[in-house]
Amino acid sequence: EVTGTLPHFIQEPEDAYIVKSNPIKLRCRAAPALQIFFKCNGEWVHQNEHFSQEYKDLNTGLKVREVMINVSRQQVEDFHGPEDYWCLCVAWSHLGTSKSRKATVRIAYLRKNFEQDPQGKEVPINGMIVLHCRPPEGVPVAEVEWLKNEELLSSQADDNIDTRADHNLIINEARLSDSGNYTCLASNIVAKRRSATATVIVFVNGGWSLWTEWSACNVPCGRGVQKRSRTCTNPAPLNGGAFCEGMSVQKITCNALCPIDGGWDEWTVWTVCSSQCERQRSRECNSPAPRHRGKMCEGNSEATENCTDGLCTQNRKLLHDVKPQSMDGSNDVALYSGLGAGIIAVAILVVAVMLYRKNHSEYGVDVIDSSALAGGFQSFNFKTTRQGNPLLLNSSMQPDLTVGRTYSTPLCFQDGADKELFDPLPDIKVKVQSSFMVSLGVAERAEFHAKAPAETFPRDLSRDYSSTADRRKKGLLTLNGPFSASKELLRTTGVFGHPGGRLVVPNTGVGLLVPHGAVAENMSWEMYMVINQGETSVQTLEGCEILLGPEVTYGPPGLDLFCPVAMTIAHCAEVDAENWNIQLKRKTQDSKWEDVMAVEEESTSCYCLMDSTSCHLLLDQPGSYALVGEPLTQAAVKRLKLAVFGSMEAGSMSYSLRVYCVDDTPHAFQGVVAAEKSRGGQLLEEPKMLPFRANTFSLQVSIQDVPQFLWSIKPFTTCQEFSFPQVWCSNQQPLHCAFSLERYSPATAQLSCKISVRQVKGHEQILQVYTAVAETEKESVPFFMQTDCTITSQTGPKAFKIPLSIRQRICATFDTANAKGKDWQLLAQKLHLDRNLGYFAKQQSPSAVILSLWEARHQDTADLDSLASALEEIGKIHSKSSPKDQDEPESDFNHIQAGSLCGTGKLTNQKTEDSAAPEYTG
């Protein structure tokens, strides 16, 4: 058996639940161990109630002792203490005792009634279904599952279904197949409980098909009717959906024109008798003319008859008209000669005109009078446009480079003679990224080139354009929140001497600790701390970096201290090295940000300790600092604080609900409070936290369960949305949306509803509103809950948790090199500050700096428990030293631990009858 070691627990008692009346067994195994006894609720368990055995571990050769006790339901019920029934093991060896962890024993139960049953709903197709379920109270807490038609629902098998940690069932877009009976099933190790069944009906409202073509008029002649129709089949109503409103058939009157048959006009007068001894006459079908499919006139339209009553020669010529043959021939020759001469004259004229036009066509536009040009066009000198340079950018319109999509410039490039206009102009490149890609840091950048001399910009435009373009080159996304950026500074000051002290900016989560001894004796500094407001903090951030907390400045610039100060800044990130790259940045003299360190990296210039909600910094150099984060994956989460405020609009029936989404830091929320205080808003529900993921999906805010018979809300305003870049890149600036409700009667004095805030494919929070709306019943907003919200500075010993005398003795002990390794590094390890040790090593008193960091980290807790526990553990390590050390005088470790801190009432060095070793109960 190995001697000189304390017992080591191989198995410690585990937390257990008593189901019904069955007792539970608690087990302990330790080696080496002479005895093991259980201690429950501070009292030793009787020896007869222990069941023990001993065996030899074949791997280590050590004797292992195992002890077991039973704990009954009656024992747990009979115990009435300030905490749950608990037991631990105490094991003895030759060298001393060891204690196991505390194991709690609780009686398991599950109440019968659900705190909230799901309610049945009728939902239109593609609408959102939200079923709420709050399981019965139980120990352990019941797990919730959902049944649909008695079959288990799984959100993994269907992306459209979301079962959340708060037990709600959400169906993002309702389908017909989602109709059914839903049951909430709660279970733990004791029992299963079923909620009331909620029937969900997904209905389809009917929609009209397109109209048919108009039918033909239903009568062939006279006044009739035309019809067209449509059907309620696009889609047809289902599951109780509304039938189409309106008419399925439309009718109009029509006039079918009756046919009119044609009738003959009177005959014309007979013509003169022709050489053929005939005369003609004609008539037309115009009395009336045939119309509208009427018949044409019957009969001939022309008539011919002999005009000499048959007195014609054999050649059908009249006897008195017969002339000599020679005379007839000469008349024909004269006629044809005249016609030929006329045709030749026309031909000569045409040819002459064509030749003339051909000879003059080579002159083109030169033959046009030049005065026509001067009158039709204005001369245009390109070089005169250089003064205002509208070709480059319209001087009256400032370029908006903050829009979130790629665009091209309104530039007009000219060829040829105009090319010289652009040649001497320097090259401008502007890179524009879409707001969506800015948020992810994977933007493909669209470039456009223009050449413009700086001096050709109008004075104001040149400055605005270049600064805006420069910011956009760095990927800044500018967002207009609901408030204009305030230029007011949150500032606090204090005068500090050798004793040190604290500076606090009230209600912002920002503080500064000046350690004892940082300021030389007989000297004092007036120090200040400022939170910079507005957008100055983010104008030069790069890529997809966002502010995780406020930009903080401390000074004065020439501050000269002997040791670093500890600054605390609240942040809104769910800290995870796999999903975040978090950097500490400092502002240079030319107002640019430079990297100081990444929080996960080692650095000797400063120290950064990230807690869940705050960052604690050890800084040597005054200046402006900001904590900046860049998401590495879509699983990166930043916390949002959600709050709902309300106010009655004076002299009206309207009540305004305002929902705020703001980075979850006290400083950012203070901006919301200030705005609401000025407008007389009332905080309607305790603010809640919503984890917002970097998954590029938007944030939806909707109002639900508004009493429809008491209040009205405008259609299409019940659900509002913030885009992903608006929320992700809000950079400590609040976002808000408003719902305006109007009561039907002045007698309505209460408003109850729910506000759902959810990220698509993310988390959801419900804000429950129940408030009086009468103006006289308004209560003031409980703006802050902190008890010290007005204290801005403390100096001297009252500013520190650790008394100065104890701090000095700890530093004297741990700063001294120790051969056994019990130096400041062990102190850092036990205080969980054992990373970036190179920073502490370069300090004149590493222990003092470690204690300053501990002070900053525990400024909101009122005791020294964690420090006492660390010193207790170090004392135990010291007591394990070799036997020759046992005869040495009491070491500084035990002296500090059992002596100094006992004076604070945190540790007691009491002897017990069961153990010769002192028992530390920090």
Side-chain angles (χ1 to χ4, degrees):
E1 183 174 337
V2 176
T3 59
T5 59
L6 287 171
H8 168 66
F9 283 99
I10 301 170
Q11 179 181 1
E12 297 186 88
E14 296 180 352
D15 297 339
Y17 297 96
I18 293 179
V19 179
K20 297 182 179 177
S21 297
N22 301 320
I24 57 98
K25 300 185 188 308
L26 296 178
R27 288 187 171 83
C28 270
R29 284 192 291 165
L34 300 174
Q35 288 292 341
I36 302 178
F37 286 104
F38 272 90
K39 197 176 192 179
C40 292
N41 305 314
E43 298 180 0
W44 295 104
V45 178
H46 196 277
Q47 185 172 359
N48 294 340
E49 297 180 21
H50 290 73
F51 302 93
S52 62
Q53 62 175 348
E54 192 174 54
Y55 61 89
K56 192 169 187 178
D57 190 322
L58 299 178
N59 294 328
T60 63
L62 295 177
K63 286 184 179 179
V64 178
R65 180 170 292 275
E66 180 176 353
V67 174
M68 183 266 293
I69 63 169
N70 289 326
V71 178
S72 68
R73 183 187 184 101
Q74 191 65 42
Q75 287 175 281
V76 178
E77 287 179 341
D78 291 344
F79 172 68
H80 302 287
E83 53 186 350
D84 291 329
Y85 190 101
W86 61 268
C87 295
L88 57 77
C89 294
V90 181
W92 277 263
S93 72
H94 291 293
L95 199 58
T97 63
S98 293
K99 287 182 185 177
S100 72
R101 68 181 290 275
K102 281 185 180 180
T104 60
V105 181
R106 303 175 71 186
I107 296 174
Y109 68 92
L110 184 61
R111 301 205 185 281
K112 289 186 177 180
N113 295 327
F114 278 70
E115 294 185 8
Q116 183 180 8
D117 285 304
Q119 302 296 316
K121 296 189 175 203
E122 294 185 358
V123 183
I125 194 164
N126 297 325
M128 178 183 287
I129 303 174
V130 181
L131 296 180
H132 300 282
C133 173
R134 292 170 62 190
E137 180 187 345
V139 172
V141 175
E143 294 183 355
V144 169
E145 296 176 301
W146 284 89
L147 302 178
K148 176 190 173 187
N149 300 332
E150 302 304 320
E151 292 186 2
L152 194 63
L153 269 181
S154 171
S155 58
Q156 295 179 347
D158 190 346
D159 290 340
N160 196 37
I161 295 178
D162 204 347
T163 52
R164 327 195 135 257
D166 53 8
H167 312 311
N168 293 341
L169 171 66
I170 295 179
I171 300 176
N172 294 310
E173 293 186 4
R175 302 156 295 195
L176 289 174
S177 59
D178 292 322
S179 297
N181 295 321
Y182 290 83
T183 309
C184 183
L185 188 65
S187 60
N188 66 5
I189 58 177
V190 181
K192 287 187 177 182
R193 304 278 186 247
R194 292 169 59 96
S195 72
T197 297
T199 301
V200 173
I201 298 175
V202 180
F203 61 85
V204 179
N205 291 326
W208 288 115
S209 67
L210 297 176
W211 288 102
T212 60
E213 297 291 332
W214 288 104
S215 67
C217 202
N218 64 341
V219 293
C221 174
R223 188 180 179 85
V225 174
Q226 281 181 288
K227 293 192 291 186
R228 67 174 182 175
S229 62
R230 58 180 178 175
T231 56
C232 190
T233 55
N234 186 33
L238 285 174
N239 296 340
F243 196 81
C244 304
E245 294 183 1
M247 297 183 299
S248 61
V249 176
Q250 279 186 341
K251 295 181 180 180
I252 57 173
T253 58
C254 55
N255 285 304
L257 298 174
C258 297
I260 298 175
D261 293 339
W264 290 115
D265 290 340
E266 294 293 327
W267 287 103
T268 60
V269 178
W270 286 106
T271 63
V272 177
C273 199
S274 69
S275 58
Q276 284 80 26
C277 304
E278 290 178 344
R279 62 180 181 177
Q280 289 92 22
R281 67 176 180 176
S282 63
R283 60 181 178 176
E284 293 183 358
C285 191
N286 280 333
S287 295
R291 285 178 296 174
H292 316 310
R293 304 176 304 282
K295 294 178 182 178
M296 290 293 293
C297 302
E298 294 182 359
N300 296 326
S301 60
E302 293 183 353
T304 303
E305 69 176 10
N306 190 293
C307 53
T308 61
D309 293 329
L311 299 178
C312 285
T313 62
Q314 58 180 1
N315 292 328
R316 299 178 63 86
K317 305 295 182 205
L318 293 177
L319 291 178
H320 62 268
D321 286 333
V322 176
K323 296 189 173 62
Q325 184 69 28
S326 59
M327 184 179 291
D328 244 357
S330 64
N331 287 339
D332 290 341
V333 170
L335 174 63
Y336 290 121
S337 298
L339 286 175
I343 291 171
I344 292 171
V346 170
I348 292 172
L349 181 62
V350 169
V351 171
V353 169
M354 290 179 65
L355 288 175
Y356 177 84
R357 293 184 62 183
K358 183 178 178 182
N359 291 338
H360 289 79
S361 64
E362 61 185 272
Y363 295 102
V365 296
D366 290 340
V367 300
I368 301 174
D369 186 359
S370 62
S371 64
L373 280 174
F377 300 91
Q378 297 296 325
S379 61
F380 187 67
N381 182 359
F382 284 97
K383 298 187 179 181
T384 62
T385 65
R386 294 286 293 270
Q387 185 126 9
N389 217 348
L391 289 175
L392 206 61
L393 279 171
N394 188 339
S395 58
S396 65
M397 181 178 67
Q398 188 163 332
D400 181 8
L401 300 184
T402 63
V403 292
R405 53 179 63 86
T406 305
Y407 66 98
S408 58
T409 56
L411 293 179
C412 302
F413 291 92
Q414 306 290 334
D415 291 330
D418 301 323
K419 186 179 178 191
E420 53 141 330
L421 170 67
F422 296 93
D423 286 342
L425 307 183
D427 196 24
I428 290 179
K429 278 189 185 177
V430 181
K431 294 186 179 179
V432 183
Q433 294 171 265
S434 74
S435 59
F436 173 77
M437 291 306 182
V438 166
S439 66
L440 289 183
V442 292
E444 294 182 4
R445 306 184 178 207
E447 295 187 5
F448 61 79
H449 298 262
K451 297 181 177 183
E455 63 272 9
T456 62
F457 282 108
R459 183 177 302 139
D460 293 334
L461 179 61
S462 174
R463 181 180 66 253
D464 293 343
Y465 176 79
S466 59
S467 62
T468 309
D470 186 61
R471 291 205 303 272
R472 176 52 69 176
K473 280 200 284 185
K474 296 178 181 297
L476 166 69
L477 179 70
T478 302
L479 289 166
N480 296 322
F483 310 116
S484 60
S486 169
K487 302 303 180 185
E488 176 190 353
L489 298 181
L490 291 173
R491 180 186 180 95
T492 183
T493 61
V495 177
F496 297 97
H498 190 69
R502 289 181 190 270
L503 269 181
V504 175
V505 182
N507 312 312
T508 61
V510 174
L512 186 74
L513 183 141
V514 182
H516 173 86
V519 180
E521 293 189 42
N522 303 321
M523 276 195 67
S524 64
W525 285 95
E526 182 178 5
M527 298 179 62
Y528 64 82
M529 189 165 52
V530 175
I531 295 181
N532 300 334
Q533 308 250 63
E535 295 183 358
T536 55
S537 306
V538 293
Q539 287 182 353
T540 52
L541 294 185
E542 297 181 356
C544 36
E545 294 175 336
I546 61 170
L547 267 184
L548 299 179
E551 174 195 334
V552 181
T553 303
Y554 84 93
L559 188 63
D560 184 17
L561 302 178
F562 290 118
C563 60
V565 297
M567 179 188 285
T568 298
I569 302 177
H571 67 78
C572 61
E574 291 284 353
V575 181
D576 185 348
E578 293 184 0
N579 299 321
W580 279 104
N581 173 30
I582 300 178
Q583 299 267 352
L584 176 66
K585 297 205 173 195
R586 177 171 53 215
K587 189 176 285 187
T588 60
Q589 291 182 350
D590 55 355
S591 296
K592 293 183 179 178
W593 288 102
E594 64 178 2
D595 293 341
V596 178
M597 67 174 294
V599 297
E600 294 299 323
E601 295 175 358
E602 303 280 320
S603 171
T604 58
S605 62
C606 66
Y607 192 97
C608 185
L609 173 66
M610 291 291 292
D611 281 343
S612 58
T613 59
S614 293
C615 173
H616 308 286
L617 307 170
L618 293 175
L619 303 171
D620 296 302
Q621 184 178 343
S624 297
Y625 292 87
L627 201 63
V628 170
E630 178 183 16
L632 301 178
T633 70
Q634 290 197 359
V637 170
K638 83 165 183 175
R639 299 186 312 276
L640 296 180
K641 179 167 284 191
L642 311 176
V644 56
F645 290 80
S647 62
M648 198 75 196
E649 297 178 13
S652 74
M653 306 278 278
S654 296
Y655 189 81
S656 175
L657 285 177
R658 295 175 294 280
V659 182
Y660 292 86
C661 306
V662 62
D663 292 351
D664 186 15
T665 62
H667 164 254
F669 188 63
Q670 195 174 22
V672 174
V673 171
E676 282 299 322
K677 195 171 183 180
S678 66
R679 68 197 306 173
Q682 180 184 13
L683 183 63
L684 304 181
E685 164 75 314
E686 190 71 24
K688 294 188 177 180
M689 191 278 288
L690 177 73
F692 188 77
R693 297 176 55 203
N695 62 4
T696 74
F697 287 100
S698 60
L699 189 71
Q700 296 177 343
V701 183
S702 59
I703 186 168
Q704 303 169 359
D705 300 344
V706 177
Q708 296 181 356
F709 299 104
L710 300 176
W711 294 87
S712 68
I713 185 170
K714 291 181 181 178
F716 310 112
T717 63
T718 56
C719 185
Q720 303 183 40
E721 192 166 14
F722 293 116
S723 67
F724 174 80
Q726 279 181 293
V727 183
W728 188 256
C729 303
S730 59
N731 287 319
Q732 304 285 295
Q733 297 297 315
L735 299 169
H736 91 291
C737 62
F739 299 97
S740 182
L741 296 96
E742 189 160 347
R743 51 183 173 173
Y744 292 114
S745 165
T748 303
Q750 301 285 341
L751 170 63
S752 63
C753 62
K754 293 178 183 176
I755 303 290
S756 166
V757 184
R758 66 179 290 269
Q759 184 184 19
V760 179
K761 297 192 177 179
H763 294 83
E764 179 190 36
Q765 271 288 11
I766 300 292
L767 297 170
Q768 183 72 51
V769 174
Y770 185 80
T771 183
V773 298
E775 293 186 39
T776 56
E777 299 180 20
K778 261 187 207 169
E779 298 176 1
S780 61
V781 180
F783 291 126
F784 296 106
M785 302 299 182
Q786 296 95 320
T787 56
D788 63 341
C789 66
T790 59
I791 300 173
T792 59
S793 68
Q794 288 179 307
T795 56
K798 63 183 178 182
F800 303 101
K801 305 291 183 189
I802 307 172
L804 178 59
S805 59
I806 295 178
R807 176 187 175 93
Q808 290 172 336
R809 293 166 73 177
I810 292 175
C811 293
T813 301
F814 288 96
D815 283 344
T816 305
N818 191 304
K820 302 180 184 65
K822 301 178 184 67
D823 57 7
W824 61 266
Q825 297 189 40
L826 184 61
L827 179 66
Q829 178 186 343
K830 295 304 178 184
L831 293 180
H832 308 292
L833 303 173
D834 52 341
R835 53 174 298 276
N836 200 7
L837 295 180
Y839 178 82
F840 298 127
K842 76 162 193 170
Q843 305 298 325
Q844 185 176 356
S845 173
S847 302
V849 178
I850 291 170
L851 292 178
S852 296
L853 189 57
W854 183 92
E855 285 267 8
R857 193 178 196 181
H858 296 85
Q859 59 185 329
D860 295 327
T861 57
D863 56 50
L864 296 168
D865 281 353
S866 64
L867 181 60
S869 299
L871 294 176
E872 180 183 0
E873 290 184 28
I874 294 173
K876 286 181 180 179
I877 294 173
H878 180 71
S879 66
K880 296 178 186 177
S881 57
S882 57
K884 68 177 183 177
D885 294 331
Q886 299 298 315
D887 300 328
E888 295 178 0
E890 185 178 25
S891 73
D892 286 339
F893 298 104
N894 288 333
H895 188 58
I896 295 170
Q897 171 195 343
S900 302
L901 286 180
C902 283
T904 67
K906 302 303 173 190
L907 292 179
T908 58
N909 185 4
Q910 59 183 6
K911 304 279 184 179
T912 66
E913 296 178 0
D914 307 284
S915 173
E919 180 180 357
Y920 297 93
T921 59

Coordinates of all heavy atoms in Angstrom, one line a residue, residues 335-348:
L335 N -54.8 61.4 -134.1 CA -55.0 61.1 -132.7 C -53.8 60.4 -132.1 O -53.2 60.7 -131.1 CB -56.2 60.2 -132.5 CG -56.5 59.6 -131.1 CD1 -56.7 60.8 -130.1 CD2 -57.7 58.7 -131.1
Y336 N -53.3 59.3 -132.8 CA -52.2 58.5 -132.3 C -50.9 59.3 -132.3 O -50.0 59.2 -131.4 CB -52.0 57.2 -133.1 CG -53.2 56.3 -132.8 CD1 -54.0 55.8 -133.8 CD2 -53.4 55.8 -131.5 CE1 -55.0 55.0 -133.6 CE2 -54.5 55.0 -131.2 CZ -55.3 54.5 -132.3 OH -56.3 53.7 -132.0
S337 N -50.7 60.2 -133.3 CA -49.5 61.1 -133.3 C -49.4 62.0 -132.1 O -48.4 62.2 -131.4 CB -49.5 61.9 -134.6 OG -49.4 61.1 -135.7
G338 N -50.5 62.6 -131.7 CA -50.5 63.4 -130.5 C -50.2 62.7 -129.3 O -49.4 63.2 -128.4
L339 N -50.8 61.5 -129.1 CA -50.5 60.7 -127.9 C -49.0 60.3 -127.8 O -48.3 60.4 -126.8 CB -51.3 59.4 -127.9 CG -52.8 59.6 -127.6 CD1 -53.6 58.3 -127.8 CD2 -53.0 60.1 -126.2
G340 N -48.4 59.9 -128.9 CA -47.0 59.6 -128.9 C -46.1 60.7 -128.6 O -45.1 60.6 -127.8
A341 N -46.4 61.9 -129.1 CA -45.5 63.1 -128.8 C -45.6 63.4 -127.3 O -44.6 63.8 -126.7 CB -46.0 64.3 -129.6
G342 N -46.8 63.3 -126.7 CA -46.9 63.6 -125.3 C -46.1 62.6 -124.4 O -45.4 63.0 -123.5
I343 N -46.1 61.3 -124.8 CA -45.4 60.3 -124.0 C -43.9 60.6 -124.1 O -43.2 60.5 -123.0 CB -45.7 58.9 -124.5 CG1 -47.2 58.6 -124.1 CG2 -44.8 57.9 -123.9 CD1 -47.7 57.3 -124.8
I344 N -43.4 61.0 -125.3 CA -41.9 61.2 -125.4 C -41.5 62.4 -124.6 O -40.5 62.5 -123.9 CB -41.6 61.4 -126.9 CG1 -41.8 60.1 -127.7 CG2 -40.2 61.9 -127.1 CD1 -41.7 60.2 -129.2
A345 N -42.3 63.5 -124.6 CA -42.0 64.7 -123.8 C -41.9 64.4 -122.3 O -41.0 64.8 -121.6 CB -43.1 65.8 -124.1
V346 N -42.8 63.6 -121.8 CA -42.8 63.2 -120.4 C -41.5 62.4 -120.0 O -40.9 62.6 -119.0 CB -44.1 62.4 -120.0 CG1 -43.9 61.8 -118.6 CG2 -45.3 63.3 -120.0
A347 N -41.2 61.5 -120.9 CA -40.0 60.7 -120.7 C -38.7 61.5 -120.6 O -37.8 61.3 -119.7 CB -39.9 59.6 -121.7
I348 N -38.6 62.5 -121.5 CA -37.4 63.4 -121.5 C -37.3 64.2 -120.2 O -36.3 64.3 -119.6 CB -37.5 64.3 -122.8 CG1 -37.3 63.5 -124.1 CG2 -36.4 65.4 -122.7 CD1 -37.5 64.3 -125.4

